Amino acid sequence: MTTRRHDVRNIAIIAHVDHGKTTLVDAMLHQSGVFRANEQVVERVMDSNVLERERGITILAKNTSITWEGVRINIVDTPGHADFGAEVERTLAMVDGVVLLVDASEGPLPQTRFVLGKALALGLEPAVCLNKIDRADARPAEVLDEIYGLFIDLGANEHQIEFPVVYTNARAGTATRALAVPGTDLQALFDVIIGKLPGPAIDQAATTQFQANNLAYDDYVGRLAIGRVVGGELRPGGIYTLCRNDGAQSPCKITRLYGWQGLKRIEIERATAGDIVAVAGVEDIAIGDTIADAELPMPLPSIRIDEPTIIMMFGVNTSPWAGRDGSRVTSRQIRDRLDLERHRNVSIRLDDTDATDIFKVVGRGELQLSVLIETMRREGYELQVSKPNVIVRQRAGVVEEPMELVVVDVPGDYVGAVTQLLGLRRGIMTDMRPMGAGRVRVEYAVPSRGLIGFRSHFLTETRGTGIINALFNGWKPWHGPITSRVNGAMVSDRDGVATPYALFNLQERGVLFVPAGTPVYEGMIVGEYSRDSDLDVNVCREKKLTNMRASGHDEAVRLSPHRPMGLEECLAWIDDDELMEVTPQAIRLRKRERRSALRPRGPRSQRVHAAPAPA
């Protein structure tokens, strides 16, 4: 017999990037009395990861728990970017309802569609929250109509489309059910969560079932498996059966059991069906594994994850300066770290190559892999990575490649420039409509490889006023060659230190990436050449000095500002014959073959970009 618990609500807050979900969770934590009156709390407290705070986005799904009017509300803050979709898919398996947060001005965007589609397909109950109603350009009525259209497009059933609506200002911590009545606190939002979203369904006769949806680590108790108790109960010291994804089963013992009180993890003595808990004691548990009854084990279905689309090569740093900055530089250390990431993140795949010091890493997107690279360099790793490429597959004798649904929001004056840019990258316009205030929203179907390195060109052409969002949109036949980077590279032909005198004479030939005083080595890329071929340059040349006074005064050396190349800029810029060297102290670009005599010559425009072999 199946019943529902009334003392628990398991919800996920889903939204597009920068629509305010982490700020809303902050306000919910404050108003529910989680923090003491004199407690110092940082903004965006749920974004505890350093990279999350720096980038202003949510990367990892995190749990918290609050109590409101005797009901415990377990909240999961989910990422809003499609590259971290595996976090979303695992999270939705733990909850019974979702709060869809939408900006009252921007409306539903691609990642909103992506996450909401997953939630509706799982049969979860939705509630809609229109945030940022205080914006001068807010248009809540039109956005609500767009949300209804989105629900219909995604195939919502009759019950799901009758969702309750709350209007919020997350920064001020207010909510209301009617725009004409201003809110003073979040009471209206809590009422909707408790009154409209269902509690967890439990089967009184079911045996123990707990599925690991996320992994964490504690210095004292080791690996923690985070998930939801689907049936039965869990107790510390209990003996259970670990059912793996490959069908193998083995006995296991739970040593500790944890729940949440606010942001703090607290030890508990018992967890029943519907509770979200962390389990310690099972060191070899993986995401998707089930902890089941010892006598009658019944594994839960494994977690299905969308296919990855981007592939990169990670290798040991082979530059002449290898080992100067990092403390973890060997192939074994790099492989162990990538293997750990593969176990923690089911959307990343790790494959071996013919070389023992090069590894093939497959992920969901550029952003996901760049976050992995940045995390590794901060942990002391040195490595070199290749240009990101897309995975292709063969079906019925036809080579297919991944496609992206691209939504561009730009001022009307720049629509022509954006159309030309995406046309060169095999983009096909599918929709265009005005958004008010002189802005236009355009939708395109673009091959995934056409978007590699596109964002910087897009921001340049739109003078930084454009907004672009992309979402995986299935597979289509190979669209043919796409012109990648047109300009060549300026490559240092010797070891030394870049001098102002040399850079002054080189800056008219292209754009420099390094300032004066930067150490360089042979094969290191120091700038972008203005033509479509590579140029070997001497950036270490110094002015010859004599003891004779010149008849005229020397020309003043005035250097134009160099172009700083960060991690994402380097990944977008490099070509197939180039590598990015990543160390804890520096990010450098280099040629795959450092010696100029062994590198191919000729313009890049003559190189043929054929369809790669299916992975």
Side-chain angles (χ1 to χ4, degrees), residues 208-254:
T208 299
Q209 287 179 312
F210 167 88
Q211 188 169 48
N213 296 91
N214 208 347
L215 297 177
Y217 189 81
D218 186 274
D219 292 335
Y220 297 99
V221 298
R223 176 173 289 191
L224 296 173
I226 301 169
R228 171 176 166 171
V229 182
V230 178
E233 66 174 21
L234 292 177
R235 290 181 180 273
I239 304 298
Y240 302 94
T241 300
L242 177 63
C243 304
R244 304 184 185 280
N245 290 322
D246 58 4
Q249 296 183 356
S250 60
C252 65
K253 179 180 179 180
I254 294 176

Side-chain angles (χ1 to χ4, degrees), residues 341-559:
E341 190 69 24
R342 177 176 64 87
H343 282 93
R344 283 198 308 208
N345 192 340
V346 292
S347 66
I348 283 184
R349 200 172 73 221
L350 176 64
D351 298 325
D352 290 324
T353 62
D354 295 336
T356 57
D357 59 348
I358 298 178
F359 312 102
K360 183 190 298 183
V361 180
V362 185
R364 291 284 283 268
E366 277 184 278
L367 180 60
Q368 182 194 34
L369 293 178
S370 69
V371 166
L372 171 60
I373 294 169
E374 180 64 27
T375 303
M376 290 180 65
R377 73 181 283 251
R378 294 187 182 203
E379 293 173 356
Y381 288 88
E382 276 194 24
L383 65 153
Q384 61 187 25
V385 297
S386 69
K387 172 188 175 181
N389 287 301
V390 298
I391 296 176
V392 298
R393 69 182 188 185
Q394 192 162 3
R395 177 170 293 184
V398 178
V399 176
E400 295 182 335
E401 64 175 330
M403 298 292 292
E404 303 279 342
L405 171 65
V406 178
V407 177
V408 176
D409 189 349
V410 295
D413 296 340
Y414 300 120
V415 171
V418 173
T419 302
Q420 184 177 6
L421 275 179
L422 288 171
L424 294 174
R425 294 170 181 259
R426 305 281 179 172
I428 301 173
M429 185 187 296
T430 57
D431 187 25
M432 182 169 68
R433 58 184 181 273
M435 298 300 295
R439 298 185 72 87
V440 178
R441 180 169 294 177
V442 192
E443 292 187 7
Y444 284 88
V446 187
S448 295
R449 59 194 168 98
L451 295 181
I452 296 177
F454 173 75
R455 192 174 298 271
S456 60
H457 295 288
F458 171 78
L459 292 175
T460 301
E461 290 294 331
T462 61
R463 306 298 189 268
T465 60
I467 302 172
I468 180 171
N469 297 283
L471 174 66
F472 175 69
N473 195 29
W475 299 78
K476 292 291 177 64
W478 182 261
H479 281 61
I482 294 177
T483 303
S484 57
R485 193 182 85 221
V486 177
N487 294 347
M490 289 194 286
V491 187
S492 174
D493 63 357
R494 67 196 67 198
D495 299 354
V497 178
T499 63
Y501 179 74
L503 296 178
F504 176 75
N505 292 293
L506 290 174
Q507 63 185 2
E508 62 184 14
R509 293 176 175 261
V511 180
L512 296 172
F513 294 162
V514 296
T518 303
V520 298
Y521 57 78
E522 181 184 4
M524 179 175 162
I525 297 174
V526 296
E528 183 179 53
Y529 191 28
S530 58
R531 300 183 181 179
D532 65 346
S533 59
D534 295 335
L535 177 68
D536 293 315
V537 296
N538 177 11
V539 294
C540 309
R541 186 159 63 100
E542 298 179 349
K543 183 176 182 180
K544 299 302 181 184
L545 301 178
T546 69
N547 58 355
M548 301 294 293
R549 186 180 300 275
S551 58
H553 63 273
D554 293 336
E555 183 179 1
V557 175
R558 292 187 179 90
L559 294 177

Side-chain angles (χ1 to χ4, degrees), residues 123 260 454 577:
W260 279 269
F454 173 75
D577 62 337

Side-chain angles (χ1 to χ4, degrees), residues 167-222:
Y167 302 93
T168 64
N169 178 358
R171 186 170 291 277
T174 61
T176 179
R177 294 296 303 275
L179 282 172
V181 182
T184 57
D185 54 21
L186 293 178
Q187 178 73 46
L189 177 61
F190 284 118
D191 290 345
V192 166
I193 292 174
I194 295 174
K196 302 296 183 180
L197 298 183
I202 58 174
D203 185 353
Q204 302 291 347
T207 59
T208 299
Q209 287 179 312
F210 167 88
Q211 188 169 48
N213 296 91
N214 208 347
L215 297 177
Y217 189 81
D218 186 274
D219 292 335
Y220 297 99
V221 298

